[in-house]
Amino acid sequence: MEKLQRLIDGYHSCVGFMVIMGVIMGVVYFCGDGNYSGMLLRFDEIGGEGEKMAEEFSFEGCDLFNGSWVYDNKSRPLYKEKECSFMADDYSCHKFGRKDFNYQFWRWQPHACDLPRFNGTALLEKLRNKRMVFVGDSLGKNHWVSLLCLIDSWIAEPSHKVAEWHGSLITFRASEYNASIDFYWEPLLVESNCDDPVKHRVHDRIMKIESIEKHAKNWIDADILVFDSYTWWLEPNMTLLWGSFENPNRTIIESGRVRRYEMALKTWSNWLDLHLNRSKTRIFFISLSPDHKEGGDWGKAMGENCYNETEPIMEQGYWAKGTDTDLMRTAQSVVQDLEKKGLNIQLLNITQLAQYRKDAHPTIYKRHWVPPTEQELAHPIWFADCIHWCLPGVPDVWNEILYSYIRYKI
C-alpha cells in the first residue's frame, strides 16, 4: 500500500506541474504581443533541471570566447529595448527607427560548452553588500547599460533600483541587496583633457601620462572593477604631458600609438599594484571592441561600412585588417604581469566574437548629439556609427560571460 501511495503522490505532483505550466503558457499566449521576445519566462526560477544544470557549470575545458553565433528567436533577446528602465538613447536602435530586428536574435554558442543561463537574482545575490564599477569610455558605458537592462526585470519594485549621475560617476543602486553597479567615465585611464563626461569631443587630445589618482579615488573601494580602454587610443596624434595643464613649464612629447598606450597602462597597473586590496577586489579587463568601419574587410566596396548590414559574418576565424593586434598584445602583457604580482585579474577576450557582428551597430539609428549635416543626411554612410552596439545585442553576451565569472569564480 505504501508503494502504491507513493506512485499516486508522484502522479499528482506531475499532473500539478503540468497544470501550472499549462496555465503559464496560456497566459503568455493570450496576453502576449505575438512576439516571443516578450516572453521572458525563466524556467530556472521554477527550479528543476534547468537550475541544476546551471549550478553544475564548470570552466574546466570550456573556452567561452571560442564559438559561433547561432540564430535563436526563442530565447533571444533577453530583454526588450523599450521595457528597460535604464536604456540610453545612444544604443536605442529601435526607438530611433531601425526596422530590422534580427540583430537581437543571435546567441553566442561556445564550441566546447554552453554559457550558463543568466539569472539576475543569482547575480544580485553575488553582489549583495558590494560595489561593482565599470571604468572606461562610451563602449564601457554600452557594456554597463546592457547589464542594467539584463537585471532590470529581476527587480520588480521600481523604488528599489535607482540611477544617479554625479559628474563622471553614474551610480546604480539595488537597495534590496545593498548593491551598487556604477559607471565611471575615464576613456584614457589616466587624466586628460577628455575627462568631462559631456564635453569631451576635443580635436587635440592631451593626457597626463603619469596621473591617475584623480580618477582612481572614485573607484578604489570597489569589490569588482571592469575596465575598458581601446577606441580612444586609435587617434593618430595625441600629446603626452608631464606637469599640470596650467603650468607653462610643462613637458610635452609626441609618441606612437602602442607606446603611449603601454605608458598609460603602466601607470594604471602600477597604481593597482600599490593601492588595491588583493584580498577584496576582483578586476576584469575587457579586450578591444572591434569596429566595422571598413566594408572592404568583409567583401564590400571600399568606402562602405556597417550601414544596412543585417547579418553577421559567418566565416570562422574572421579577423578585420583594422583591428590593432599590437594594442591587444600590450594589454594582455600588462594583465599577465598583474597576475604574476598576485592581483585577482581576468582578461575577457571579447574581440573575436564581436568581430563577426557587423550587423549589430546603431549606424544612423541613435540619438546624434551633433545633428548630421545636409550632406551627411544625403550620404548616411558618412555618419553611420559602426563603433557602438545596439541594445539588446552584443554587449549582452559580454555580460553573460562576465556573469559566468562572477557567479562561478568569485
Side-chain angles (χ1 to χ4, degrees), residues 153-180:
S153 65
W154 295 82
I155 307 174
E157 177 55 52
S159 63
H160 291 174
K161 48 186 177 182
V162 178
E164 300 173 344
W165 193 312
H166 305 281
S168 294
L169 178 68
I170 311 175
T171 295
F172 168 84
R173 291 190 178 89
S175 58
E176 182 180 349
Y177 297 87
N178 189 33
S180 69

Side-chain angles (χ1 to χ4, degrees), residues 113-129:
C113 56
D114 294 318
L115 275 169
R117 185 193 304 274
F118 183 87
N119 184 311
T121 300
L123 177 62
L124 288 164
E125 283 293 351
K126 278 287 187 177
L127 297 179
R128 185 179 288 278
N129 301 321

Side-chain angles (χ1 to χ4, degrees), residues 68 91 175 215 221 257-258 292 304 349 383 405:
S68 59
Y91 324 118
S175 58
H215 293 311
D221 65 333
R257 176 191 297 174
V258 176
H292 292 90
E304 295 192 47
N349 191 358
F383 71 99
Y405 278 91

Side-chain angles (χ1 to χ4, degrees), residues 230-269:
Y230 167 69
T231 300
W232 281 61
W233 295 96
L234 300 182
E235 285 292 313
N237 298 307
M238 299 174 72
T239 301
L240 308 187
L241 167 68
W242 279 260
S244 68
F245 289 109
E246 300 79 15
N247 186 348
N249 297 318
R250 63 189 184 180
T251 302
I252 297 176
I253 68 167
E254 303 235 353
S255 63
R257 176 191 297 174
V258 176
R259 177 58 181 151
R260 58 181 178 247
Y261 187 55
E262 182 180 37
M263 293 170 73
L265 287 181
K266 193 66 175 176
T267 297
W268 169 77
S269 64

